[in-house]
Amino acid sequence: MNELTVYHFMPDKLNLYSDIGNIIALKQRAKLRNITLNVIDINQTEGVTFEECDIFFIGGGSDREQALATQELSKIKESLKAAIEDGMPGLTVCGGYQFLGSKYITPDGIALEGLNILDFYTESQKDRLTGDIVIESDTFGTIVGFENHGGRTYHDFGTLGSVTYGYGNNDEDAKEGIHYKNLLGTYLHGPILPKNHEITDYLLEKACDRKGIVFEPKNVDNTEEEAAKNVIIERVSQQSK
Ligand code: GLN
């Protein structure tokens, strides 16, 4: 049986609103392709290299947890940056997405240093951007999720798509997340992958391509996944009326 390995960074600090569900979804969708997904939890990064890693995942956390995780991850920021540049697939959620940038400014105006892997920044405000969110994406189709963040993120990189309901990166430009090479960053909790099988499969397929594993079958029965997605689309359309 083919195998892939996921590095799950800082699960002891970064796991808001069931972010762990993303790992469950990756496992399940890999199983549908007869692939075993090994998950390695990494809470201490000293000496960690990416040779054995096929996909990495970083969840979200409060500002406090996020600052502690940034300190820990700064020990491997060069190799994390190199892995991203090399096209390693990765998913980062909310706090985990924010600290890939240069800085995170707290609602009190204190600038916390980010990992500075990508050139963007986040500024937080006391009023939070919360609720259901729907995005139209050229790559993934309709994406749904739940967001709850004070941070407003600004950048000129590619994004997951255009926000048709909710906020996304900030309350100005109606864009959500970041898509750089095979790295995805997002504000969507809830978690994002069980609700959006296209994104789960994207990460798995990219990992398979890099490892020389055939990702098949490409099409599987998504009736239940689509039904779950439609609950949110329906709810949002009721609220918009
Ligand atoms: N720093 C984040 C914020 O903008 C933390 C929340 C999160 O990860 N959901 O609020």
Side-chain angles (χ1 to χ4, degrees):
M1 197 186 241
N2 288 315
E3 293 190 19
L4 291 174
T5 298
V6 176
Y7 279 14
H8 183 181
F9 284 105
M10 315 304 297
D12 67 340
K13 297 194 174 57
L14 304 177
N15 179 27
L16 275 181
Y17 319 118
S18 308
D19 285 339
I20 188 74
N22 292 311
I23 297 286
I24 298 169
L26 283 168
K27 268 194 184 158
Q28 175 59 19
R29 306 278 307 176
K31 198 169 148 198
L32 294 176
R33 278 69 183 224
N34 230 4
I35 299 168
T36 302
L37 196 85
N38 305 311
V39 181
I40 301 184
D41 287 352
I42 300 177
N43 292 306
Q44 281 168 358
T45 61
E46 197 75 59
V48 169
T49 62
F50 283 82
E51 274 101 73
E52 306 291 317
C53 178
D54 299 307
I55 302 175
F56 69 91
F57 172 65
I58 312 177
S62 68
D63 290 0
R64 180 182 170 276
E65 258 73 34
Q66 187 177 332
L68 294 170
T70 310
Q71 266 174 26
E72 190 58 41
L73 284 163
S74 66
K75 296 176 192 163
I76 55 159
K77 74 172 172 191
E78 295 308 331
S79 48
L80 179 56
K81 185 179 168 68
I84 292 169
E85 290 297 338
D86 192 47
M88 178 168 292
L91 174 67
T92 62
V93 180
C94 202
Y97 159 37
Q98 292 169 344
F99 62 51
L100 295 180
S102 59
K103 62 182 172 184
Y104 175 83
I105 305 167
T106 69
D108 304 320
I110 300 163
L112 305 174
E113 215 179 306
L115 296 173
N116 210 3
I117 287 176
L118 293 171
D119 187 14
F120 69 85
Y121 73 98
T122 300
E123 192 162 7
S124 194
Q125 291 175 23
K126 284 210 166 66
D127 61 313
R128 303 185 68 78
L129 308 178
T130 306
D132 289 324
I133 174 167
V134 180
I135 299 139
E136 286 307 322
S137 165
D138 290 342
T139 313
F140 305 112
T142 304
I143 303 172
V144 301
F146 164 78
E147 59 182 329
N148 183 357
H149 52 107
R152 277 76 167 159
T153 299
Y154 301 93
H155 65 73
D156 295 323
F157 291 97
T159 64
L160 293 193
S162 300
V163 178
T164 56
Y165 186 91
Y167 303 98
N169 280 339
N170 50 63
D171 34 13
E172 292 162 48
D173 62 21
K175 296 285 179 195
E176 154 52 26
I178 194 166
H179 189 169
Y180 174 72
K181 299 199 171 184
N182 294 328
L183 167 77
L184 306 176
T186 181
Y187 272 113
L188 272 57
H189 288 284
I192 181 173
L193 294 186
K195 290 182 189 143
N196 299 282
H197 58 87
E198 302 88 341
I199 304 179
T200 321
D201 284 358
Y202 172 91
L203 293 167
L204 291 169
E205 191 167 2
K206 293 291 178 193
C208 285
D209 288 350
R210 281 166 53 92
K211 216 175 173 182
I213 297 173
V214 181
F215 183 74
E216 272 182 4
K218 284 213 183 354
N219 296 319
V220 292
D221 180 6
N222 293 315
T223 313
E224 288 183 11
E225 288 82 352
E226 290 296 330
K229 188 181 276 203
N230 281 330
V231 169
I232 296 173
I233 295 171
E234 285 286 310
R235 186 159 72 201
V236 159
S237 73
Q238 294 303 323
Q239 285 165 9
S240 321
K241 279 175 191 160

